[in-house]
Amino acid sequence: MRTSALQYLYLQKPVTTVIIICTIALLPWLNSDFYTKGEPREASVAVSMTESGNWILPEVYAGEFAYKPPMTHWLMAVFSLPRGHVSEFTSRLPSALAQIILAGFVLAFFGKRIRFQEAFIATLLLITCFEIHRAGMTARVDMLLTAFVVLGLMQLYRWENKLELKGLPVIIPLLFSCAVLTKGPVGIILPLFIFFVYLLLLRKYTFRKIFKSLLYTGISSMFIPMLWYAEAYRQGGEDFLNVALAENFGRFFHLNESNINYEMGHEEGFFYNFITLLSGFIPWTLLPVFSLFGVKWRLPHKSFKQIMKDAWQRFLSMEKMKKFSLVAAACIIFFYTIPSSKRSVYLMPAYPFLSILLAQYFIYITENRSKVTRIFAYVLTTLASVVFIAGMLTMTGAADFNALAAKFTTEESALHAVEGITGMFACDNIASAAIMLLLLISIITIIYQTTKRINLKILYATILLTFCINLFIDGIVMRSIKNDSSARPFAEQTVRDYGLKDNVYVMNNLREYSNLYGMNFYMGNTFLNFEKENPENGYFLTTEKDVKKVMERYGTQYRFEQLSISERQGDIRSKAILFRFGRRR
């Protein structure tokens, strides 16, 4: 009996299947404009590398140097060399490739050690959940760091499981060296902390053996990064050292920030990490929530001490792979509860291990409480159907959502966003039409599968629907929002109208002013520092919210003539203003 192409790929080429899915989900949507200040800030480092030839500590944004080690920026610059310039696509490509490679290795690694179906579903959950999918399309360092850390942890597991810590495979320090060169010492401290806890819980090795293994791994992993740190310190001196200490240790130990010209930010409370995990795994965190309804809760007739003792025994008797995943996820979450500075992307190395645990639970729920899976599928299908109908009404002209939005809000940015999104539904937009067709197919598929008795196929159909919803968001909704929030139009207009080049000054003090990273990227990374250069005349860029402060401080020394103001707020959430200035005599 012949199998379908999809069955063949799943049964014979599962890793290839995952890579294809990841590629379709990410690569076609990388070319949209930057719409946050973080992405152009990182991309500008690669611009400086390619233009200045300084690949160690290049200067960006009015004389400042990069806050983070250069691995991500090196890759951005290398990927940009064939095109001759750094673009949004080449800036986001390292993150996208990191996610694709990570997904393939997650399936290959876990597929050999647990039930293959669990590993396959876990990989699909991983690449369709909100946080990982978003990070794979962003020009930031976090996805690359996650890939290096998780792949390194996999190799540490193999080292213990196969070699019992004898020798040290060269791939381990190489991966962690890359992790350190991506975001600093956390790239080796975090995985060694996880492995230390795991080895202790195995109760198989002496403390001396564990300490010796970790020490060799740590020293060998820091050798290559120390070459970069030494050269960076030679170029940047005390300024580089202050930033490096603040970024890598100041955030963690709540140290004083007086030696740097910006605040660490992202300070959150203890429960922040748990909230971001719930939101980061959307929509898959909804299924466990649904499974709680209808459960008959019975209080155990045991003391709390006995309950904890039984739980500990169950943990110790777990299969090795499940124990390693649980330890890794728990240690990562605990590790990032310590610093006051918290962000959702810090927890991404925990996602592959949590996805394994979720997949095992989902399969159990699907096989034993199928009604939960069906209800979850119905809810997701209903939401997708509403989106599809709204899209079709827009494409056919049967509904005017621009006029409808105007009745509920007068916010200019919101109206522009609605206008942009509805514009993406134009009949001549082939990509939008293809996405809508795929969304329809996924809705029909899940409706069809809910009429059958094979509950596991309903779970797979739900994953397919989530994949198509992500395509809809990336290819239609976010594509329009990104372009609408971009600094590109105003940057290109000012360069064209005033011939700006090497004569544009900005403030570079994040404690007092906003930095226009998007404008800097789209204007060629040529901004000069107004306060350091002390110029006689030129052009000056600032934000609408900073104008008053600038005029109060420098209005008596310079004459400022406003030339242009951006129509939209863009990535800085404030309109940009261009001035011509000259020193008063």
Side-chain angles (χ1 to χ4, degrees), residues 20-168:
I20 291 172
I21 292 171
C22 256
T23 301
I24 295 172
L26 298 175
L27 295 189
W29 324 113
L30 300 183
N31 211 32
S32 56
D33 286 358
F34 291 136
Y35 72 112
T36 63
K37 60 184 179 181
E39 287 190 284
R41 182 181 64 194
E42 305 295 347
S44 293
V45 180
V47 172
S48 183
M49 284 180 175
T50 57
E51 293 184 350
S52 69
N54 185 341
W55 292 61
I56 301 297
L57 198 66
E59 289 189 356
V60 294
Y61 200 85
E64 75 178 22
F65 47 79
Y67 294 172
K68 301 178 181 70
M71 177 60 73
T72 305
H73 313 113
W74 285 343
L75 293 176
M76 290 179 182
V78 169
F79 292 150
S80 301
L81 290 178
R83 301 184 66 174
H85 69 280
V86 179
S87 66
E88 297 91 346
F89 182 88
T90 56
S91 299
R92 290 166 173 153
L93 192 56
S95 294
L97 293 179
Q99 183 180 329
I100 293 170
I101 293 170
L102 176 64
F105 273 95
V106 165
L107 179 57
F109 178 80
F110 287 107
K112 294 178 181 179
R113 292 165 176 83
I114 60 176
R115 286 172 56 192
F116 181 78
Q117 190 173 70
E118 293 175 350
F120 190 73
I121 291 176
T123 307
L124 295 180
L125 298 181
L126 179 68
I127 62 181
T128 53
C129 74
F130 171 75
E131 192 69 69
I132 296 295
H133 178 69
R134 179 184 65 168
M137 303 179 65
T138 307
R140 302 295 292 267
V141 304
D142 303 289
M143 191 68 245
L144 195 64
L145 175 69
T146 297
F148 285 133
V149 168
V150 173
L151 294 181
L153 285 170
M154 291 176 180
Q155 295 304 315
L156 287 176
Y157 178 88
R158 292 181 72 249
W159 181 33
E160 187 284 322
N161 193 50
K162 284 192 172 184
L163 302 177
E164 296 185 330
L165 305 182
K166 296 174 182 177
L168 180 61

Side-chain angles (χ1 to χ4, degrees), residues 161-306:
N161 193 50
K162 284 192 172 184
L163 302 177
E164 296 185 330
L165 305 182
K166 296 174 182 177
L168 180 61
V170 68
I171 188 65
I172 293 175
L174 185 60
L175 285 169
F176 290 138
S177 293
C178 291
V180 174
L181 283 171
T182 301
K183 204 172 182 179
V186 69
I188 183 62
I189 294 173
L190 176 60
L192 288 188
F193 168 64
I194 295 168
F195 199 50
F196 170 73
V197 174
Y198 174 67
L199 292 178
L200 285 180
L201 292 174
L202 282 181
R203 299 192 293 186
K204 181 179 178 181
Y205 304 98
T206 64
F207 185 83
R208 182 185 177 191
K209 177 68 173 178
I210 295 173
F211 177 78
K212 186 178 177 181
S213 300
L214 297 181
L215 181 64
Y216 288 164
T217 304
I219 292 175
S220 59
S221 299
M222 285 301 298
F223 178 74
I224 295 176
M226 286 308 297
L227 297 177
W228 174 80
Y229 274 105
E231 179 59 22
Y233 177 72
R234 189 188 68 82
Q235 293 187 21
E238 292 298 320
D239 289 340
F240 166 76
L241 184 61
N242 289 335
V243 171
L245 290 175
E247 286 289 328
N248 294 293
F249 299 103
R251 288 185 185 275
F252 199 85
F253 295 108
H254 312 186
L255 299 180
N256 193 295
E257 305 170 359
S258 59
N259 290 331
I260 56 177
N261 69 344
Y262 61 94
E263 296 178 356
M264 295 298 181
H266 310 299
E267 294 188 3
E268 302 291 346
F270 175 80
F271 292 102
Y272 177 81
N273 285 341
F274 302 98
I275 295 171
T276 56
L277 274 176
L278 291 173
S279 60
F281 253 115
I282 289 288
W284 306 118
T285 43
L286 298 177
L287 184 54
V289 172
F290 285 6
S291 70
L292 298 177
F293 294 97
V295 175
K296 295 181 180 179
W297 299 96
R298 295 179 181 176
L299 293 176
H301 300 289
K302 298 179 182 179
S303 65
F304 179 76
K305 182 179 179 180
Q306 185 61 42

Side-chain angles (χ1 to χ4, degrees), residues 335-549:
F335 184 86
Y336 283 115
T337 59
I338 300 173
S340 58
S341 178
K342 297 179 177 68
R343 295 186 65 212
S344 60
V345 291
Y346 294 169
L347 300 175
M348 290 201 310
Y351 278 65
F353 303 103
L354 288 173
S355 67
I356 294 296
L357 303 176
L358 275 178
Q360 293 173 337
Y361 181 68
F362 284 6
I363 292 173
Y364 170 80
I365 288 294
T366 302
E367 292 176 346
N368 297 279
R369 296 181 60 200
S370 60
K371 184 181 292 186
V372 173
T373 306
R374 289 174 179 271
I375 292 174
F376 177 67
Y378 293 146
V379 171
L380 207 60
T381 304
T382 301
L383 293 175
S385 299
V386 171
V387 169
F388 177 79
I389 292 170
M392 291 304 299
L393 290 174
T394 304
M395 291 182 72
T396 58
D400 186 356
F401 286 97
N402 294 324
L404 183 63
K407 294 181 179 179
F408 292 93
T409 181
T410 57
E411 182 67 31
E412 184 179 351
S413 59
L415 294 175
H416 276 301
V418 174
E419 181 182 353
I421 293 170
T422 55
M424 295 297 296
F425 284 105
C427 294
D428 59 346
N429 192 317
I430 299 176
S432 297
I435 291 171
M436 294 299 291
L437 178 61
L438 287 174
L439 186 59
L440 176 61
I441 292 173
S442 66
I443 292 172
I444 294 173
T445 300
I446 201 168
I447 292 174
Y448 173 76
Q449 291 300 335
T450 53
T451 64
K452 304 296 181 179
R453 293 185 177 182
I454 305 178
N455 297 316
L456 199 58
K457 286 189 176 182
I458 299 176
L459 180 59
Y460 277 111
T462 306
I463 295 173
L464 171 64
L465 180 60
T466 304
F467 172 78
C468 292
I469 291 174
N470 285 342
L471 286 183
F472 174 83
I473 293 172
D474 297 327
I476 298 178
V477 178
M478 288 306 300
R479 185 178 172 189
S480 173
I481 291 175
K482 288 177 181 180
N483 292 336
D484 189 68
S485 301
S486 171
R488 179 198 290 273
F490 186 62
E492 292 179 345
Q493 175 193 333
T494 54
V495 171
R496 182 176 60 251
D497 292 348
Y498 302 101
L500 305 180
K501 184 174 177 61
D502 299 326
N503 58 353
V504 181
Y505 295 85
V506 293
M507 297 297 184
N508 188 13
N509 183 350
L510 284 171
R511 290 186 183 274
E512 297 190 44
Y513 307 100
S514 299
N515 281 2
L516 296 92
Y517 290 110
M519 292 290 292
N520 178 59
F521 175 80
Y522 287 116
M523 294 177 71
N525 191 41
T526 60
F527 287 176
L528 301 171
N529 192 318
F530 183 85
E531 293 181 311
K532 285 187 177 181
E533 298 291 337
N534 195 25
E536 292 295 319
N537 55 65
Y539 293 90
F540 179 76
L541 263 175
T542 188
T543 66
E544 193 174 35
K545 61 184 178 182
D546 290 333
V547 166
K548 183 178 179 181
K549 188 183 299 183

